Amino acid sequence: MTADHLHNPVLPGCHPDPTVVRVGQEYYLATSTFEWFPAVPVHRSTDLVHWEPAGHLLNSRDTADLRGVADSAGVWAPSLSHHGGRFWLVYSLVRTVGSPYKDVDNYLITADSIEGPWSEPVFLNSSGFDPSLFHDEDGRHWLVNLRWDHRPGRPSFAGIVLQEYDPGARALAGEPVLLLRHDELIEGPNLYRRDGWYYLMLAEGGTGWNHGILMARSRALTGPYELDPAGSLLTTRDDPGAPLLKAGHGELVSTPDGEWYLAHLASRPVATPEGPRCVLGRETCIQRVQWTGDGWLRLAHGDNRPRLSVPAPRAARTGAGSGASPSASASGGGRDGGRDHCDDFDAPVLGPRWSSLRVPADPSWLSLTERPGWLRLRGRQSPHSLFDQSLVAQRLTSVHCRATTVLDFRPTRFDQQAGLICWYDTTTHYYLRVTHCEERGRVLGLAVSDDGAYAEPADCELPVEDWPLLHLRADFDGAALRLSASPDGTEWTRVGPVLDASKLSDDYGDRLRFTGAFVGVCAQDLGGTRRAADFDRFTLTPL
């Protein structure tokens, strides 16, 4: 199979902070997951064009204890490398956001294979986030990360620091060395060595509209580092009409033929009267890059704007690569919104597209075997809880799609509910749910959390006591979201007004928000009896 071009984003939906490494003929790409579990999905490719899921790198609470972490905290900016026949993954576990503090711990795990088993986590430091490991030619290992400064009146992004890692002691050694400070906000450091230079790749300008990538270099590992005189390698800060905005935070990878590519994040906005909003969050894109005669890195197409279509590696164009087939690909080369994704819940475990909030899916609250062909959720805490929710969801990969499910649920109290949820975080979501009303019996209605303001519009409520099953549907159309329900899947009734889907985005509200929109199913039982809700099928269909 040949491919002339790759199409961005190669991983649509919430796949930010990409880290990429090549081992032989295979590429591995992993991304941030924040409060979602399992953490750090990894994808595999042989051509950089087609990608298929290869599991998750943090699968247990021993490697990522996320109970109680704030919205958009959790696992930040993993960095994957390969050295000495082993994979190395460093990652941040952030527990606090939106305050002067971050309360962050950085960890290292290793494995002989991307499938694991992975080692027990090694604690590295807590000085800041975005760690990465650099394996130098002399066999020494170096950790770089952002240093965070909580003090009033001082820059919070206090520079990039370097410290040696001693694998024998399983700990950092010596004192950290400050590599670089900059007037612009810098983070996401990655070190490379080429032609006698040490190159420091940096994310700059924050993760919003001002985002970019900046390069610096030095003849010595510890500096001093000189910034690229041409400025940002990649950015769209001065091109608000670009199809890929917020471009930044990247890592480099080379092909077996010596070509260079840059994996980075970017967002595709939806137009609203309040301005652009990125419902799909920050997605993974890839650009072709090349080194100049004077040793600086540039995008191969000649400017610093990301492109939607990029020439594929030489091996992919000539058929030497054998990338994953588009039907098996997680992204379809950036066209994930073009195919149906249906889960009939016939497998004994959830598929790789599903994520749960903060805790692993375990038999105490989720089962695919108690009622074969159905997903059973036992109700637990409310949608505002940071601890034990019974909620599973999938990343939204297109703003023009339909989510449907079939629910069998018989609540007996007002504090029992279940249904279809369109989710950003605990403060912002739309919930089409079934519950019990003392006067009317079983009812279907809408619960809205709008940047922390909670409402249950009474005029949206439908009596559904005699419905045998509850077919639930959410239609996304750009910034518009329409919810509806049916007793048989043929005659549908609208529930509530047209909702503002753009609120399910990083760009809405006053809080720091990083995760993009998800859609899924959930159940609550605030009385603690764990009332079961059964779901038959979940489908995401392009519109």
Side-chain angles (χ1 to χ4, degrees):
M1 181 180 63
T2 62
D4 291 334
H5 287 77
L6 61 87
H7 302 280
N8 286 314
V10 295
L11 296 183
C14 178
H15 286 100
D17 310 325
T19 175
V20 62
V21 65
R22 177 177 59 84
V23 181
Q25 299 295 317
E26 291 194 311
Y27 303 89
Y28 299 95
L29 194 157
T31 51
S32 293
T33 40
F34 303 95
E35 65 264 37
W36 291 97
F37 205 94
V40 190
V42 62
H43 289 77
R44 177 190 287 112
S45 175
T46 58
D47 58 9
L48 295 179
V49 178
H50 304 99
W51 295 86
E52 61 183 7
H56 291 77
L57 303 186
L58 304 180
N59 289 294
S60 72
R61 287 176 59 179
D62 293 335
T63 53
D65 187 356
L66 304 180
R67 290 187 77 248
V69 304
D71 290 326
S72 288
V75 178
W76 285 17
S79 186
L80 186 64
S81 58
H82 190 267
H83 177 81
R86 293 181 67 76
F87 288 94
W88 307 59
L89 181 80
V90 291
Y91 59 97
S92 295
L93 183 51
V94 180
R95 294 179 176 84
T96 306
V97 295
S99 84
Y101 300 98
K102 280 290 181 282
D103 296 314
V104 56
D105 295 324
N106 293 318
Y107 295 95
L108 164 69
I109 57 175
T110 61
D112 294 332
S113 166
I114 200 72
E115 290 85 8
W118 288 84
S119 67
E120 293 297 313
V122 174
F123 170 76
L124 297 173
N125 65 21
S126 300
S127 62
F129 47 87
D130 288 2
S132 68
L133 268 181
F134 170 63
H135 310 282
D136 209 345
E137 294 170 357
D138 61 4
R140 298 170 76 180
H141 312 276
W142 300 88
L143 183 80
V144 286
N145 63 268
L146 165 78
R147 174 179 282 170
W148 183 259
D149 192 336
H150 69 276
R151 295 174 293 178
R154 296 175 182 261
S156 298
F157 291 75
I160 305 302
V161 292
L162 172 82
Q163 195 169 1
E164 187 170 6
Y165 174 70
D166 182 348
R170 293 167 55 85
L172 296 178
E175 291 298 315
V177 175
L178 179 65
L179 294 187
L180 185 66
R181 280 198 183 101
H182 187 38
D183 293 338
E184 181 62 86
L185 184 157
I186 54 174
E187 56 189 325
N190 285 278
L191 274 168
Y192 304 93
R193 190 170 185 179
R194 181 180 182 273
D195 291 346
W197 290 99
Y198 290 93
Y199 288 91
L200 185 59
M201 175 173 280
L202 302 161
E204 62 166 341
T207 60
W209 310 112
N210 194 46
H211 204 23
I213 293 177
L214 185 64
M215 297 291 287
R217 71 181 183 184
S218 172
R219 289 293 187 184
L221 175 64
T222 56
Y225 280 82
E226 167 198 9
L227 292 172
D228 186 342
S232 300
L233 167 69
L234 175 81
T235 188
T236 50
R237 67 172 65 95
D238 53 355
D239 188 9
L244 297 171
L245 295 178
K246 302 184 181 180
H249 196 118
E251 286 195 11
L252 291 173
V253 68
S254 62
T255 72
D257 294 329
E259 302 165 287
W260 287 84
Y261 284 81
L262 169 69
H264 67 94
L265 65 81
S267 294
R268 293 176 291 169
V270 170
T272 78
E274 292 77 23
R277 289 176 176 166
C278 302
V279 176
L280 303 182
R282 296 169 301 155
E283 308 172 287
T284 288
C285 301
I286 294 177
Q287 307 295 326
R288 191 176 180 183
V289 293
Q290 59 191 18
W291 298 93
T292 65
D294 59 355
W296 288 107
L297 193 65
R298 301 284 182 262
L299 298 186
H301 52 256
D303 57 38
N304 62 359
R305 312 289 199 278
R307 296 286 178 89
L308 287 170
S309 180
V310 175
R314 186 177 302 113
R317 300 195 303 269
T318 60
S322 54
S325 67
S327 62
S329 170
S331 69
R335 296 178 293 273
D336 193 49
R339 296 180 291 114
D340 284 8
H341 293 281
C342 181
D343 194 334
D344 290 321
F345 301 127
D346 292 329
V349 295
L350 285 176
R353 298 178 61 86
W354 289 100
S355 298
S356 57
L357 273 174
R358 294 180 172 82
V359 294
D362 68 58
S364 70
W365 62 273
L366 182 150
S367 174
L368 288 156
T369 58
E370 290 181 15
R371 185 177 179 181
W374 295 71
L375 167 67
R376 172 163 292 176
L377 297 180
R378 298 194 176 278
R380 296 191 298 168
Q381 294 177 353
S382 79
H384 291 184
S385 173
L386 301 179
F387 291 87
D388 296 311
Q389 288 204 46
S390 297
L391 184 155
V392 291
Q394 298 185 12
R395 292 164 177 80
L396 207 65
T397 59
S398 170
V399 294
H400 301 284
C401 68
R402 169 174 291 167
T404 57
T405 192
V406 181
L407 171 62
D408 188 2
F409 181 53
R410 296 284 173 177
T412 59
R413 301 192 320 215
F414 74 92
D415 55 6
Q416 298 167 343
Q417 52 188 5
L420 179 69
I421 196 158
C422 302
W423 182 268
Y424 186 85
D425 62 15
T426 62
T427 72
T428 305
H429 49 264
Y430 300 112
Y431 188 14
L432 179 61
R433 88 286 185 266
V434 178
T435 187
H436 176 81
C437 173
E438 291 88 340
E439 295 79 21
R440 306 178 70 189
R442 192 170 61 157
V443 293
L444 176 71
L446 178 63
V448 177
S449 288
D450 185 345
D451 198 24
Y454 181 75
E456 297 181 7
D459 57 354
C460 297
E461 199 169 84
L462 296 176
V464 292
E465 183 65 40
D466 59 347
W467 288 22
L469 294 172
L470 299 121
H471 296 252
L472 308 178
R473 187 171 76 187
D475 288 329
F476 290 87
D477 184 15
L481 171 62
R482 296 171 177 85
L483 302 177
S484 52
S486 170
D488 55 12
T490 57
E491 298 293 329
W492 292 86
T493 301
R494 177 78 59 80
V495 181
V498 177
L499 301 167
D500 187 354
S502 76
K503 292 182 177 182
L504 307 175
S505 77
D506 298 352
D507 311 298
Y508 178 69
D510 297 326
R511 301 171 177 85
L512 289 172
R513 299 157 70 100
F514 300 133
T515 56
F518 284 64
V519 61
V521 295
C522 60
Q524 295 79 35
D525 187 339
L526 307 184
T529 63
R530 298 204 170 191
R531 188 78 172 182
D534 293 339
F535 296 87
D536 181 23
R537 295 192 312 276
F538 180 89
T539 304
L540 270 177
T541 304
L543 296 178

